[in-house]
Amino acid sequence: MNVEALRLLRQEFKDNWLSFFEAISIEPGYFQTFEELLQALEREMAVPYGDLESHEKDFLRGWDEVYSRACAEADRRKHGASPNLNWFEQ
């Protein structure tokens, strides 16, 4: 995984946890730390997609979306663009 994207996501988890949980389709407070979330992702990704429950699929789809946004923002910053402080909402 992209280290800079994970850094952005970790900060968003810390600063805006309610919107973060909403974006990944998880009840607020389900994970206490960002590391717990990454461990759950690792477990879910190890299971064939068709064998996952619908809420687990929603979680992975939500994660893919926010991770893609974080990667795009990390790439923008890497290439010298001004930080977009609203990258998570876009």
Side-chain angles (χ1 to χ4, degrees):
M1 287 194 188
N2 182 314
V3 174
E4 284 303 307
L6 288 177
R7 186 184 63 71
L8 289 170
L9 288 166
R10 181 177 279 108
Q11 190 64 44
E12 195 67 29
F13 179 91
K14 178 182 170 191
D15 294 344
N16 300 306
W17 60 271
L18 190 58
S19 61
F20 189 93
F21 282 119
E22 185 178 299
I24 61 171
S25 302
I26 294 291
E27 283 187 43
Y30 188 80
F31 299 111
Q32 299 303 309
T33 66
F34 190 72
E35 287 67 27
E36 285 179 16
L37 180 133
L38 293 179
Q39 290 172 358
L41 279 167
E42 190 175 308
R43 284 190 307 271
E44 300 297 331
M45 289 177 176
V47 176
Y49 192 74
D51 293 343
L52 294 171
E53 299 290 328
S54 64
H55 68 277
E56 294 166 326
K57 290 177 184 177
D58 291 344
F59 170 49
L60 290 179
R61 279 193 297 268
W63 172 260
D64 285 343
E65 185 177 317
V66 298
Y67 181 72
S68 293
R69 283 187 251 157
C71 285
E73 179 60 18
D75 192 51
R76 280 178 21 78
R77 292 179 185 191
K78 179 180 174 184
H79 291 94
S82 297
N84 176 2
L85 302 179
N86 296 318
W87 67 268
F88 190 78
E89 284 86 28
Q90 296 179 339

